[in-house]
């Protein structure tokens, strides 16, 4: 038997060329393998529905595919360089075990739609995980916002002390952003929730494939109808999934940036549990926020992957082997991004603010804006009030942070955080996720 599915008997395949073309493809296919097996199962059952395979043949193929999946999971089957890719490994497994029947599995499909459907399933699962993690992070932020009550905290603009804020406001900001990030992940999942299986190499096949059956069996909400579009969407859908990851990581980065400032001796606002810090190999006195720094550094991995995809996608219509190179950046960024996000709920729960340090950093000048706005109640135009406060600074020292927070009642502000609204949005997101089956 030739080494490659497509190899002409008696022809030579140049090893160096093959190695270059394969790259890390087969290792990357490990991330797609179970999805590929699942889609192969559905494809075989679909072929039986239209009489291309007998029931018995389809059953035999499905049983062998189940064995392959188990073997892969328990490590008795290793997907490695013996195979050109995961797709070839599936066919080789079936052919070795079922002979002629195994050779029928590829009827009416192409490796192009195999890789498409497997990556689409991976994207959908990854985005579902991202939604979960955004929800957990938002929930942890809300718990913290409730627990911190009205503990005052300096509010900064330009990193300069500006107005009195509160710890709860800081946590609520991240709660709201992670609910929004979860919504973006969910809507991205819905956007890409379309089944490309059955489009073959990009032009369909001369068989009445039961695409509706495959679509519902694989849990997709719609068929990706046009076969050329199915190919053209490879990389584009991946890019959208990474955009959702990147948006969440922008907030991870900002949270991490804040903590890296707040944990310095200069600020001293936050202390982190030991598990989140490391020691120095030379300076016995040090505790370093390495984890926070590496979380801050996780965005560039995803951004880099997005840049790679964007550059790769400059292609004419249809399948091109260039598209294989979307796999590496995609998987690297998904794994890294989700690993980073997975640490967030615990990091949020472990973020302990130090009330005395926050209080010490809240100084009288931070009441100036409140004071100017108060003056306008007696009819003084704001610009005049602003001038008077700036020039006179009257009684700011006598004012309390607690009063400032209590009086800041514009909706969403420290005196009226409306955490119940955020809680409601979080619950709506969870409900929408459930309804989307994700
Ligand atoms: N490894 C290939 C990829 O990721 C699989 C599809 C191969 N198709 C082909 N026509 N050579 O794109």
């Amino acid at each position: 038997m030739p080494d490659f599915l497509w190899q002409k008997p008696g022809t030579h395949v140049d090893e160096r060329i093959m190695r270059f073309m394969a790259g890390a493809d087969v290792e990357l296919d490990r991330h797609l393998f179970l999805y590929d097996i699942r889609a192969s199962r559905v494809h075989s059952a679909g072929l039986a529905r239209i009489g291309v395979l007998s029931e018995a043949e389809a059953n035999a193929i499905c049983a062998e595919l189940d064995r392959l999946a188990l073997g892969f999971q328990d490590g008795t089957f290793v997907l490695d360089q013996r195979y050109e890719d995961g797709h070839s490994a599936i066919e080789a497994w079936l052919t070795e075990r079922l002979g002629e029947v195994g050779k029928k599995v590829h009827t009416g499909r192409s490796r192009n739609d195999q890789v498409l459907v497997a990556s689409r399933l991976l994207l959908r699962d990854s985005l579902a995980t991202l939604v979960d993690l955004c929800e957990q992070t938002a929930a942890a932020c809300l718990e913290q916002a409730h627990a911190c009550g009205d503990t005052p905290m300096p509010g900064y603009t330009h990193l300069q002390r500006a107005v009195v804020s509160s710890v709860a406001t800081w946590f609520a900001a991240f709660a709201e952003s992670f609910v929004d990030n979860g919504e973006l992940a969910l809507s991205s999942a819905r956007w890409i929730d379309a089944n490309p299986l059955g489009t073959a190499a990009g032009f369909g096949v001369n068989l009445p494939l039961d695409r509706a059956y495959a679509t519902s069996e694989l849990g997709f909400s719609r068929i990706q109808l046009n076969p050329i579009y199915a190919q053209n969407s490879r990389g584009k859908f991946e890019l959208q999934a990474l955009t959702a990851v990147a948006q969440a990581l922008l907030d991870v980065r900002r949270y991490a940036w804040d903590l890296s400032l707040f944990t310095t001796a200069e600020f001293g606002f936050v202390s982190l549990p030991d598990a989140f810090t490391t020691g120095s190999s030379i300076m016995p006195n040090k505790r370093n926020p390495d984890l926070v720094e590496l979380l801050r550094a996780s965005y560039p991995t995803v951004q880099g992957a997005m840049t790679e995809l964007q550059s790769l996608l400059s292609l004419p219509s249809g399948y091109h082997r260039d598209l294989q190179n979307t796999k590496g950046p995609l998987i690297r960024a998904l794994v890294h991004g989700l690993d980073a996000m997975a640490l967030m709920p615990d990091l949020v729960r472990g973020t302990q603010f130090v009330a005395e340090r926050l209080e010490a950093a809240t100084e009288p000048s931070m009441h100036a804006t409140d004071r100017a706005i108060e003056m306008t109640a007696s009819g003084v135009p704001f610009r005049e009030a602003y001038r008077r406060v700036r020039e006179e600074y009257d009684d700011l020292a006598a004012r309390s942070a607690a009063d400032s927070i209590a009086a800041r009642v514009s909706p969403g502000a420290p005196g009226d955080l409306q955490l119940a609204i955020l809680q409601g949005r979080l619950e709506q997101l969870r409900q929408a996720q459930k309804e989307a089956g994700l």
Side-chain angles (χ1 to χ4, degrees):
M1 204 177 88
D3 288 341
F4 300 99
L5 290 173
W6 41 265
Q7 192 177 346
K8 265 198 196 155
T11 59
H12 169 72
V13 168
D14 185 290
E15 221 179 277
R16 268 183 335 155
I17 292 178
M18 285 314 299
R19 210 177 320 122
F20 179 77
M21 290 202 299
D25 202 45
V26 78
E27 283 94 1
L28 293 167
D29 274 354
R30 291 177 191 153
H31 295 267
L32 298 172
F33 201 49
L34 291 173
Y35 297 115
D36 200 356
I37 294 174
R38 194 165 133 208
S40 298
R41 231 179 162 286
V42 170
H43 178 67
S44 308
L47 290 179
R49 287 170 72 85
I50 57 167
V52 171
L53 292 181
S54 70
E55 275 309 312
E57 287 172 330
N59 288 343
I61 289 175
C62 289
E64 277 310 331
L65 288 171
D66 291 346
R67 257 173 232 132
L68 177 58
L70 282 179
F72 177 69
Q73 282 166 301
D74 70 20
T76 50
F77 176 86
V78 180
L79 181 60
D80 60 20
Q81 305 292 347
R82 288 173 300 160
Y83 306 98
E84 184 185 5
D85 52 34
H87 324 302
S88 313
I90 291 176
E91 199 168 323
W93 173 274
L94 293 175
T95 307
E96 273 162 31
R97 276 155 190 80
L98 300 173
E100 293 301 305
V101 173
K103 290 184 193 168
K104 294 185 179 183
V105 69
H106 211 57
T107 316
R109 76 170 184 186
S110 151
R111 283 185 297 170
N112 295 358
D113 64 341
Q114 272 182 278
V115 66
L116 266 182
V117 70
S119 19
R120 202 65 52 90
L121 290 168
L122 169 77
L123 292 183
R124 214 180 47 183
D125 274 3
S126 304
L127 285 171
T129 304
L130 179 61
V131 179
D132 284 340
L133 293 171
C134 287
E135 287 165 353
Q136 289 167 31
T137 307
C141 289
L142 279 175
E143 276 163 38
Q144 284 276 34
H146 280 293
C148 291
D150 288 334
T151 308
M153 171 178 172
Y156 297 89
T157 73
H158 313 263
L159 275 181
Q160 308 291 319
R161 289 174 180 172
V163 291
V164 178
S165 183
S166 71
V167 175
T169 311
W170 185 83
F171 275 120
F174 286 101
E176 189 167 346
S177 65
F178 280 106
V179 170
D180 280 357
N181 293 330
E183 267 169 18
L184 179 65
L186 182 59
S187 62
S188 302
R190 285 207 194 96
W191 194 62
I192 67 175
D193 190 15
N195 176 28
L197 180 63
T199 54
F203 307 97
V205 285
N206 45 348
L207 287 173
L209 296 176
D210 192 344
R211 296 199 62 204
Y213 164 79
T215 300
S216 85
E217 280 298 290
L218 290 170
F220 284 107
S221 65
R222 66 186 191 280
I223 294 179
Q224 196 173 20
L225 197 58
N226 184 288
I228 297 178
Y229 173 48
Q231 291 305 322
N232 292 354
S233 64
R234 184 166 179 200
K236 186 171 138 80
F237 282 16
E238 281 81 345
L239 193 56
Q240 182 55 33
L242 291 190
T243 301
V245 176
Q247 283 290 342
L249 291 188
L250 282 176
D251 290 309
V252 168
R253 178 164 78 176
R254 204 175 288 253
Y255 191 97
W257 234 129
D258 284 358
L259 288 196
S260 76
L261 284 176
F262 294 166
T263 52
T264 58
E266 283 69 16
F267 277 85
F269 290 176
V270 165
S271 80
L272 287 174
D274 280 349
F276 294 123
T277 60
T278 54
S280 156
S281 63
I282 178 171
M283 298 167 282
N285 54 321
K286 292 293 301 288
R287 287 308 291 178
N288 299 322
D290 296 38
L291 168 69
V292 162
E293 289 165 343
L294 285 169
L295 286 175
R296 184 169 62 194
S298 56
Y299 179 77
T301 303
V302 177
Q303 191 193 27
M306 289 169 69
T307 306
E308 256 183 275
L309 293 192
Q310 281 156 345
S311 314
L312 271 168
L313 290 182
S314 175
L315 290 169
S317 286
Y319 177 80
H320 307 274
R321 191 69 181 265
D322 311 49
L323 291 166
Q324 175 173 293
N325 282 9
T326 58
K327 235 187 258 177
L330 171 74
I331 287 166
R332 185 164 20 92
L334 280 181
V335 169
H336 190 75
L338 293 178
D339 280 353
M341 271 302 300
L343 295 172
M344 284 303 288
D346 279 349
L347 177 64
V348 170
R349 283 188 282 268
T351 303
Q352 295 151 4
F353 275 86
V354 184
E356 312 82 71
R357 294 296 303 250
L358 294 164
E359 212 178 299
T362 310
E363 54 164 75
S365 72
M366 299 170 81
H367 297 292
T369 308
D370 288 347
R371 182 75 189 96
I373 292 174
E374 269 169 31
M375 274 187 205
T376 62
S378 56
V380 182
F382 178 76
R383 194 51 58 216
E384 172 60 16
Y386 172 98
R387 189 198 58 76
R388 275 198 225 161
V389 173
R390 191 182 55 197
E391 281 161 23
E392 296 158 21
Y393 258 102
D394 63 358
D395 53 352
L396 296 183
R399 302 172 72 98
S400 87
D403 291 346
S404 170
I405 289 173
R408 199 89 50 69
V409 292
S410 56
D416 185 22
L417 286 174
Q418 302 199 14
L419 298 181
I421 289 189
L422 300 184
Q423 189 67 45
R425 286 190 202 161
L426 175 57
E427 271 145 35
Q428 268 171 20
L429 174 62
R430 286 185 171 133
Q431 188 56 32
Q433 183 186 13
K434 219 186 272 164
E435 280 161 20
L438 288 162

